[in-house]
Amino acid sequence: MAESEMVILFSSGMSWWRLVKLMLLPMAVVMIIVALITTFVSPALERVQADIMQQYRQQAASAIVQPGLIRFDHGQKVVYLKDVEEGGQEIGQVEAILRSGDSESVYVAPRATQYYNAAGDRYIRLFSGKRYDLKNGVVSASVKFKEYTVLVQKRGIVGTDRDVSTLSMRKLLVNGSPEALAEFEWRIAIPLAVIVLGLLAIPLSNVAPRQGRYGRLFPAVLVFAVYFNILAVIRNEIESGSLSMWIGLFSAPIIFSVIGLLFIHYRNQGGRWRVKI
């Protein structure tokens, strides 16, 4: 009895199209839930994970800072750190030399801190110090400052805003890069897969009375694997710029949905291709 539900349904007058109508509501509910996860929940979790990893890398990079001379940009920027405390964040007695052509500026401060911005650029912020402008080795001017920030390294750490998996749907479209468009397509393709695979699962659910409930399991798994492999290929093609996002977004769902509907029509006609005219 447990393996004959479909036989009982159809013997009592249930048609395949009636079954499709009954299944549309639960499939739509599941599709909405999956869409909320792929478009809102997953990117938010990716941002949280990226923020945690960025913070960890910043702390790790700060922790390895040791007192002494540090050179950046092929010697154009030189920073001397006398004291480094609190895991590399707090720095005491800093001297920074910034060169530009035949002139240079020397910044001296009793205290400084270092930090990274969202883009991963590394900065050292000096407090209550003095700047000396030198030209040809001679001091031409000196200025006291309350606070001064020196950019010492560009993009030391990749910021969270550079990873397309963390961007919202709107930002993906604004970004417009092939990677962003591929991510946008993927987030919509996954919810659509619920409807597409649901239409294919309905005719595959019918098994012969003596076939057993797992008689169609292998074909169902095969269809699932083929469909998602096609989606992965489409995503790669969009990322490489070889395929338009809109073509890739609708091609596979439409083709497989038509196959599912034709398969349902075939079942509804008793296994014959009959068309009413």
Side-chain angles (χ1 to χ4, degrees):
M1 184 69 179
E3 299 176 358
S4 306
E5 294 90 347
M6 301 295 287
V7 175
I8 295 173
L9 280 174
F10 295 122
S11 63
S12 61
M14 174 74 72
S15 69
W16 282 94
W17 294 115
R18 172 71 174 165
L19 181 61
V20 171
K21 291 179 181 179
L22 292 175
M23 293 300 298
L24 282 178
L25 180 59
M27 286 192 298
V29 172
V30 175
M31 182 186 70
I32 292 173
I33 294 174
V34 174
L36 291 174
I37 293 173
T38 58
T39 57
F40 296 104
V41 178
S42 182
L45 294 177
E46 289 285 346
R47 285 193 291 271
V48 171
Q49 181 182 11
D51 288 339
I52 293 174
M53 291 301 298
Q54 183 184 23
Q55 183 179 7
Y56 171 78
R57 289 168 182 167
Q58 289 178 359
Q59 292 175 350
S62 300
I64 63 175
V65 174
Q66 299 295 329
L69 199 64
I70 305 176
R71 298 178 183 273
F72 302 95
D73 292 347
H74 306 288
Q76 293 300 306
K77 298 176 183 178
V78 180
V79 179
Y80 174 75
L81 311 177
K82 185 176 181 181
D83 299 312
V84 180
E85 301 173 355
E86 298 184 11
Q89 296 294 333
E90 290 291 331
I91 304 169
Q93 196 60 43
V94 181
E95 294 180 9
I97 302 175
L98 308 183
R99 296 187 175 91
S100 178
D102 58 351
S103 63
E104 62 183 22
S105 297
V106 179
Y107 297 82
V108 180
R111 187 177 72 88
T113 59
Q114 72 164 339
Y115 69 95
Y116 294 85
N117 65 4
D121 302 330
R122 183 181 181 185
Y123 292 85
I124 292 182
R125 181 173 292 159
L126 293 78
F127 300 94
S128 303
K130 197 169 184 179
R131 186 189 76 186
Y132 300 93
D133 295 331
L134 290 82
K135 191 169 184 179
N136 298 323
V138 179
V139 177
S140 58
S142 62
V143 180
K144 291 184 179 180
F145 61 84
K146 186 176 181 180
E147 183 178 310
Y148 187 81
T149 301
V150 180
L151 172 64
V152 295
Q153 190 176 24
K154 289 286 290 182
R155 295 179 61 180
I157 298 174
V158 177
T160 58
D161 58 340
R162 297 180 181 274
D163 189 351
V164 294
S165 65
T166 66
L167 299 180
S168 65
M169 299 293 283
R170 182 183 64 83
K171 288 184 177 179
L172 287 174
L173 288 177
V174 172
N175 186 299
S177 66
E179 294 80 8
L181 295 179
E183 179 70 18
F184 184 90
E185 180 271 340
W186 183 258
R187 293 183 190 178
I188 297 179
I190 298 303
L192 288 178
V194 175
I195 297 294
V196 175
L197 295 177
L199 291 175
L200 290 168
I202 291 173
L204 286 173
S205 64
N206 188 33
V207 295
R210 297 183 180 181
Q211 193 174 9
R213 67 177 66 187
Y214 301 111
R216 299 282 178 158
L217 181 60
F218 178 74
V221 173
L222 183 62
V223 169
F224 176 87
V226 169
Y227 186 71
F228 272 89
N229 272 279
I230 291 175
L231 291 183
V233 171
I234 291 174
R235 180 177 184 176
N236 291 334
E237 291 298 314
I238 296 174
E239 283 185 348
S240 64
S242 304
L243 184 66
S244 169
M245 181 196 71
W246 299 110
I247 295 176
L249 180 61
F250 296 109
S251 57
I254 290 176
I255 292 173
F256 276 78
S257 295
V258 170
I259 293 174
L261 293 173
L262 289 175
F263 201 0
I264 292 170
H265 174 75
Y266 175 79
R267 289 287 190 185
N268 197 58
Q269 298 297 327
R272 296 185 181 92
W273 292 107
R274 293 183 297 182
V275 180
K276 294 182 180 179
I277 301 176

